[in-house]
Amino acid sequence: MLSYQHAYHAGNFADVHKHLVLHAVVDHLLRKSSPITFVDTHSGRGVYPLDAVETQRLGEFHHGALPLWEERHRLADEPLLSAWLEAIAGLQRGGSRLERYPGSPWWLAHRLRNGDRLRLYELHPGEHGHLSQQLLPANAQRIHGDGLAGLIQALPASTPRLCVLIDPSFERKEEYAEVAECVLAAMRKARHGVVLVWYPLLPAGRHHVLLERLREGGLRKIWRSELTLHAPGEERGMYGSGMLVVNPPWGLEERLAAAMARAAPLLDKGCRYSADWWVGE
Ligand code: SAM
């Protein structure tokens, strides 16, 4: 089953959460010169025009990226948020309107250096078609296929460092366990890799399968951050966004806490942010 299309949700509060963590991690990794292989196992389209019919249908960006964009001058004193908003400004075609929102392939590609590598997996033929039309650097490779199997096949990477984003649509309940097994298999092949995993907070609580399996898996450090809209079960549907980072770079916790203290109140329903060490520290 492949019915999920990220265009319906582009730029929502969960994208803001995920892409802020991603931006902070990449930013830290790029401080050292040794090359990095980046892998995006579930890429989506790459860039989302906000006037697209799908994106306009739910208009979720009105409670996500847009309020931050509109407050960008007032947020200019917050280092992570201002860098993140400046990156988004670089994607616009001029003017002061937010017209396009970047997906994870863009967040990974736009700062790629010559020696780095980027592998972008997308299984949905239509979404892969959109991604193929994006202008990306030559060292970004687009692969029409399963990102979890592709990641394991691609390891160990040819570069000294590795950074992976796993951002599934979780259309099948088995995906939580599959993602956990994939992370553990990847870490056996690349012990020092940095792996980011996004997960939805849903009333059924299926993300606990992912979290518990990773806790049992013998990894040394997993940092968790969550952005919640309301208590579980208070309303139908997704009540929050979760992000795990295996082997997080030093200082990530503080950078995100400072940025989220300013960003969360501007997002959907005045989101609440929390973070802790799921494993280690
Ligand atoms: N990472 C994107 C971003 O932040 O902009 C959003 C990705 S969206 C949540 C999930 C995507 O994964 C969808 O485009 C879906 O078609 C794709 N997908 C689902 N199963 C997949 C698989 N096994 N391998 C690769 N892509 C898959």
Side-chain angles (χ1 to χ4, degrees):
M1 179 174 54
L2 266 183
S3 55
Y4 180 89
Q5 288 183 29
H6 195 66
Y8 287 95
H9 309 287
N12 69 1
F13 79 100
D15 262 4
V16 169
H17 178 213
K18 170 176 57 190
H19 296 146
L20 264 174
V21 176
L22 182 62
H23 180 76
V25 168
V26 171
D27 194 46
H28 194 283
L29 294 178
L30 292 180
R31 290 180 195 168
K32 284 194 189 153
S33 59
S34 72
I36 308 168
T37 295
F38 293 99
V39 180
D40 190 347
T41 58
H42 296 71
S43 295
R45 295 185 184 185
V47 171
Y48 298 90
L50 295 176
D51 62 1
V53 176
E54 302 98 310
T55 311
Q56 287 287 329
R57 167 92 63 88
L58 302 173
E60 293 184 2
F61 64 94
H62 286 284
H63 310 287
L66 188 60
L68 297 183
W69 174 258
E70 286 172 341
E71 290 292 317
R72 63 193 179 285
H73 302 299
R74 250 180 283 188
L75 296 171
D77 60 335
E78 204 301 306
L80 176 58
L81 281 175
S82 66
W84 187 81
L85 286 160
E86 207 174 296
I88 294 179
L91 179 67
Q92 310 310 310
R93 299 200 170 99
S96 60
R97 272 187 57 228
L98 182 64
E99 291 177 345
R100 310 202 298 161
Y101 182 76
S104 51
W106 186 91
W107 285 106
L108 292 169
H110 86 287
R111 293 173 75 192
L112 211 60
R113 304 164 302 183
N114 283 341
D116 297 330
R117 298 273 173 275
L118 173 57
R119 298 175 72 84
L120 300 166
Y121 293 89
E122 173 54 52
L123 193 55
H124 189 293
E127 299 298 277
H128 175 72
H130 282 286
L131 182 62
S132 305
Q133 286 163 21
Q134 303 296 336
L135 198 62
L136 294 178
N139 45 353
Q141 190 185 354
R142 287 161 261 213
I143 302 141
H144 181 205
D146 178 359
L148 298 183
L151 168 65
I152 301 304
Q153 273 164 19
L155 296 180
S158 59
T159 55
R161 293 186 296 155
L162 171 75
C163 175
V164 180
L165 172 67
I166 302 180
D167 178 23
S169 30
F170 294 105
E171 286 175 272
R172 294 177 296 109
K173 66 175 191 300
E174 296 77 18
E175 277 183 276
Y176 296 91
E178 290 167 8
V179 168
E181 295 310 329
C182 175
V183 172
L184 295 173
M187 297 316 289
R188 284 194 285 273
K189 289 183 148 197
R191 221 156 48 91
H192 302 292
V194 178
V195 179
L196 298 89
V197 182
W198 182 85
Y199 57 92
L201 297 173
L202 292 161
R206 293 201 173 113
H207 62 283
H208 292 297
V209 171
L210 166 70
L211 291 173
E212 292 306 331
R213 181 65 189 106
L214 288 179
R215 173 124 76 189
E216 294 160 0
L219 303 178
R220 283 199 322 124
K221 279 188 186 179
I222 307 180
W223 178 76
R224 165 176 72 165
S225 80
E226 291 185 348
L227 197 54
T228 48
L229 300 173
H230 49 74
E234 204 172 280
E235 286 177 34
R236 286 183 60 206
M238 189 167 91
Y239 68 88
S241 157
M243 196 77 182
L244 297 173
V245 185
V246 180
N247 294 334
W250 187 83
L252 181 68
E253 206 179 348
E254 288 77 18
R255 284 191 85 190
L256 257 298
M260 283 300 181
R262 300 283 293 281
L266 300 171
L267 300 174
D268 205 346
K269 299 183 174 133
C271 289
R272 288 199 27 230
Y273 176 74
S274 62
D276 61 1
W277 286 93
W278 181 244
V279 174
E281 289 285 299

